[in-house]
Amino acid sequence: MPVPPLVDALVVGAGFAGAVMAERLASAGRTVLVIDRREHIGGNAFDERDAHGLTVHRYGPHIFHTNAPEIVAYLSRFTAWRPYEHRVRAEHRGMLFPIPVNLETLERFFGLTLDAASGAQLLARLRVPTRTPSDGKPRTSRDVVLEAIGPELYEAFFRGYTRKQWGRDPDQLDAQVTARIPVRTDRDDRYFTDRHQAMPAEGYAAMFRRVLDHPRIRVETATAYDPHRHRAMARHLVWSGPIDEFYGHRFGRLPYRSLRFEHSHIGGTERFQPIGTVNHPDEAVPFTRVTEFKHLTGETAAGTSIVREFPLSEGDPYYPIPAPDTRELYLRYQALADAETDTTFVGRLAQYRYFNMDQVVAAALTRAGQLVGADA
């Protein structure tokens, strides 16, 4: 006789998608087992104290920002916030320029003095139209940038960075890759302009511990999903890992970009760089950006801790690659997922989309609500 399930839901992955799904299901009265192959919860947002007592993000900087008050309200149940507005500079020929492009970027790059009107006029002269008459929309990431700021700034700040980050030329990537980066004709040098920009006051790991601190939730880390052992344990499966992995790469492997993180500590130095993150678009530089965590956390110490990011084609999956060929392959896997009745796919890797953190939370809240409603 078959063995009855041990829990109502098995959640694979303890990052934002899995943790929020688990908490919502548990709060609705379900028993939940959460497993993660890593030795910690929090997914890529995991942070920790390094050997020098400074908080670092093990998998690169995670800056929380959103315009959705319901996402803020939900997460505020598990954390207080430290206000923080992220700023980014791009290194070019030994100088640092604000990114996204604003008036100061234009002034430094072209050696001019500008106001909003003259800045807009300059951009109008720089722009190169690329839209096809058929639909009037930019087709690629290269098109988006050329239409916004022209070839000189594209070459200086975007082409090399994109080629390093994605392993493809911008004209091989969907327009969405660069469409989310604004161009400004004022001096606002914030990377994001969302209404809510902040960091969890005690860090992401502490927030995740509170999200998963529920009597109906059991968490097992350092535990890889084994379909032969785990699937029969639960009535419903929540999958937040790569969708192609779930199906045994039936149609071939979906491409993801990976990263290698080089953490280092610089003793006796109050600040390594003037801003949280400095991009390095030059293709001769093997890393894409450097982040100094004290800017993000507000911590003080005699030394400082940084991380350099080196993009890779192999390794842990971090970024789905948004391109026509990858979208076609993903849709074949999505058709399989849509036919499932006892499995929910949620998150950046499971839905093969470049989600920000608030978008992952929103997707998890929506899917948990649908799941609970269907069972009601």
Side-chain angles (χ1 to χ4, degrees), residues 293-313:
F293 293 104
K294 287 167 71 174
H295 293 281
L296 280 59
T297 63
E299 294 174 338
T300 57
T304 191
S305 295
I306 65 171
V307 64
R308 293 181 173 90
E309 298 180 38
F310 297 78
L312 303 169
S313 57

Side-chain angles (χ1 to χ4, degrees), residues 30-363:
R30 312 301 195 268
T31 54
V32 183
L33 170 63
V34 179
I35 64 173
D36 198 295
R37 69 179 65 182
R38 288 171 171 167
E39 80 282 4
H40 59 75
I41 61 175
N44 293 340
F46 176 72
D47 55 12
E48 60 190 337
R49 296 276 185 174
D50 66 9
H52 305 275
L54 290 172
T55 300
V56 300
H57 298 183
R58 185 183 293 187
Y59 306 102
H62 283 71
I63 317 299
F64 188 80
H65 58 99
T66 187
N67 282 318
E70 64 275 16
I71 303 300
V72 178
Y74 173 75
L75 291 177
S76 295
R77 296 163 53 189
F78 311 103
T79 184
W81 299 97
R82 173 185 177 267
Y84 171 73
E85 294 180 325
H86 195 50
R87 287 171 169 81
V88 174
R89 298 289 184 267
E91 192 278 334
H92 177 67
R93 296 180 178 174
M95 294 178 62
L96 296 182
F97 297 84
I99 296 292
V101 169
N102 68 5
L103 279 183
E104 186 179 342
T105 314
L106 297 172
E107 288 180 335
R108 290 188 187 182
F109 193 88
F110 294 105
L112 301 171
T113 299
L114 301 169
D115 57 18
S118 57
Q121 292 169 357
L122 173 61
L123 286 170
R125 293 195 299 270
L126 294 173
R127 292 179 180 130
V128 174
T130 64
R131 304 185 185 216
T132 57
S134 58
D135 58 13
K137 296 180 180 179
R139 293 163 297 172
T140 70
S141 289
R142 175 180 175 273
D143 294 345
V144 170
V145 180
L146 288 178
E147 289 198 3
I149 58 175
E152 292 176 85
L153 296 171
Y154 165 75
E155 290 289 339
F157 300 127
F158 288 94
R159 184 172 184 269
Y161 189 96
T162 303
R163 284 169 55 87
K164 288 194 292 184
Q165 176 72 8
W166 297 102
R168 298 188 179 199
D169 198 80
D171 63 8
Q172 299 174 314
L173 294 166
D174 286 347
Q176 69 185 69
V177 174
T178 49
R180 65 196 192 99
I181 302 173
V183 177
R184 300 176 183 145
T185 54
D186 57 22
R187 298 183 186 279
D188 185 353
D189 68 341
R190 296 174 300 165
Y191 196 72
F192 309 109
T193 56
D194 301 68
R195 289 192 298 272
H196 181 84
Q197 301 183 50
M199 303 291 287
E202 298 176 59
Y204 285 102
M207 181 182 71
F208 275 97
R209 285 194 294 271
R210 295 189 186 102
V211 172
L212 293 170
D213 183 16
H214 194 288
R216 293 191 180 92
I217 297 176
R218 187 169 86 254
V219 178
E220 295 180 5
T221 54
T223 302
Y225 174 70
D226 180 347
H228 303 292
R229 181 166 73 91
H230 287 118
R231 188 60 192 90
M233 295 174 61
R235 293 183 177 87
H236 195 89
L237 174 66
V238 175
W239 180 265
S240 67
I243 189 172
D244 55 323
E245 178 185 320
F246 180 84
Y247 287 107
H249 310 289
R250 184 180 305 179
F251 304 127
R253 292 180 178 271
L254 279 166
Y256 300 87
R257 288 298 281 175
S258 187
L259 293 167
R260 177 174 66 84
F261 302 96
E262 183 182 276
H263 287 266
S264 58
H265 183 80
I266 305 162
T269 298
E270 178 64 25
R271 286 285 187 270
F272 175 75
Q273 57 193 31
I275 214 77
T277 295
V278 173
N279 291 350
H280 292 267
D282 189 343
E283 288 188 80
V285 178
F287 47 87
T288 51
R289 60 181 180 175
V290 179
T291 296
E292 183 175 15
F293 293 104
K294 287 167 71 174
H295 293 281
L296 280 59
T297 63
E299 294 174 338
T300 57
T304 191
S305 295
I306 65 171
V307 64
R308 293 181 173 90
E309 298 180 38
F310 297 78
L312 303 169
S313 57
E314 300 292 334
D316 288 345
Y318 288 96
Y319 300 106
I321 299 177
D325 59 316
T326 64
R327 182 168 58 254
E328 182 178 341
L329 179 56
Y330 165 67
L331 290 175
R332 299 181 69 186
Y333 284 111
Q334 185 185 29
L336 297 178
D338 289 345
E340 301 282 354
T341 58
D342 58 1
T343 303
T344 296
F345 297 83
V346 62
R348 179 184 284 189
L349 303 181
Q351 297 177 260
Y352 204 72
R353 289 183 60 187
Y354 188 90
F355 282 132
N356 291 325
M357 288 185 287
D358 66 321
Q359 294 171 315
V360 176
V361 174

